Amino acid sequence: MLTLARIAEDPGTLTHRLESRDGARLVFRPLAPGDAQGLADFLAGLSPESRRFSTFDGYDLAAARELCAAIARYDKLRLVLEEEPSARIVGLLEFSLALPPGDVERYRRAGIRLDETTDCRFGPTLADDHQGKGLATQVFPLVRQVARRLRKRRIILWGGVLADNPRAIRYYEKNGFHRVGTFTGPDAQTSLDMILNLEPAPGEQA
Ligand SMILES: CC(C)(COP(=O)(O)OP(=O)(O)OC[C@H]1O[C@@H](n2cnc3c(N)ncnc32)[C@H](O)[C@@H]1OP(=O)(O)O)[C@@H](O)C(=O)NCCC(=O)NCCS
């Protein structure tokens, strides 16, 4: 069975190469311990709007080092999209295998019983110059595959999606997520909870 420790030992198991719609060569792979500077450059380059939509603890080298230090230590799996041959990180795709009690309670009120054995959280962030070009949709089959290989049956949004982020909402809906409800975050902004049921792909074991 695939675990975070095994992924860290053998990142190749989740590594894929692809070409974006505009012809860029990209690698989809787990975040690696040596990625701190590249990840810092990615975080530092995010616009204020992207930072509002996808909030990190920081946007500098210290924050990037924290994310790299967390590899296989907690419940998080982070994957990056790296451009070739520049090796520039242009996307960060985050999974959490833990479910905060607040999320469990919100979903319970909406009639959905979350379960850490079968459910995980997901949050994507692309570099500003790579947004709105279909890239996150292009890699979504790989995201699904990662979740399935971790034995998950459903994906919920990590922290929800802000109600005034129509591109992200459209992105989630076109990739099969459905709306569960709205909630008001600590910053008094309205967000949506969304969930995706992972049906096994043809040929994949249920
Ligand atoms: C959200 C994000 C991951 C989506 O990735 P992406 O590659 O830009 O998304 P895609 O291009 O695959 O899909 C976006 C869809 O929204 C549509 N869209 C774009 N702007 C839109 C708008 N203002 N209103 C409605 N739909 C919009 C696009 O047309 C596309 O749908 P279509 O294929 O039916 O035309 C990316 O834009 C991003 O990183 N944004 C900043 C951080 C963020 O918001 N992260 C999510 C936090 S919950």
Side-chain angles (χ1 to χ4, degrees):
M1 154 154 168
L2 197 60
T3 62
L4 299 185
R6 287 192 61 177
I7 295 166
E9 278 164 25
D10 178 19
T13 191
L14 293 185
T15 299
H16 296 270
R17 291 192 150 68
L18 59 135
E19 192 173 311
S20 70
R21 285 199 318 215
D22 54 9
R25 279 188 293 132
L26 297 166
V27 184
F28 171 97
R29 61 163 176 82
L31 183 71
D35 280 330
Q37 187 59 57
L39 187 60
D41 293 344
F42 167 78
L43 293 171
L46 291 173
S47 66
E49 184 181 61
S50 291
R51 293 180 189 200
R52 192 169 77 79
F53 289 154
S54 252
T55 303
F56 293 91
D57 287 345
Y59 301 86
D60 57 8
L61 187 56
R65 283 198 175 123
E66 291 271 316
L67 297 181
C68 290
I71 293 170
R73 288 187 59 202
Y74 307 108
D75 59 293
K76 310 290 191 297
L77 172 63
R78 296 188 168 92
L79 299 125
V80 294
L81 281 168
E82 182 189 87
E83 229 172 33
E84 287 188 319
S86 67
R88 176 186 167 215
I89 292 177
V90 298
L92 179 61
L93 306 161
E94 303 190 285
F95 283 96
S96 167
L97 308 187
L99 301 173
D103 285 26
V104 173
E105 175 56 19
R106 266 200 328 271
Y107 278 79
R108 189 195 61 74
R109 277 190 260 114
I112 297 174
R113 286 170 69 94
L114 294 180
D115 178 344
E116 271 186 12
T117 58
T118 53
D119 302 329
C120 62
R121 296 184 292 157
F122 169 66
T125 310
L126 298 183
D128 284 72
D129 59 339
H130 282 66
Q131 295 171 14
K133 298 178 175 176
L135 180 57
T137 296
Q138 195 182 344
V139 298
F140 199 70
L142 298 175
V143 168
R144 292 175 62 100
Q145 202 180 77
V146 170
R148 294 281 308 168
R149 289 189 61 192
L150 290 165
R151 298 279 189 273
K152 301 302 176 192
R153 291 178 182 276
R154 295 185 296 194
I155 302 178
I156 65 167
L157 299 187
W158 187 333
V161 54
L162 286 173
D164 64 353
N165 189 356
R167 179 166 56 202
I169 293 170
R170 166 77 189 133
Y171 162 67
Y172 294 125
E173 287 189 326
K174 82 172 177 170
N175 286 291
F177 284 80
H178 63 261
R179 299 173 190 224
V180 170
T182 58
F183 66 98
T184 307
D187 45 14
Q189 300 191 84
T190 304
S191 294
L192 272 68
D193 278 318
M194 299 181 85
I195 192 165
L196 170 72
N197 284 300
L198 291 165
E199 301 301 334
E204 195 180 15
Q205 274 193 341

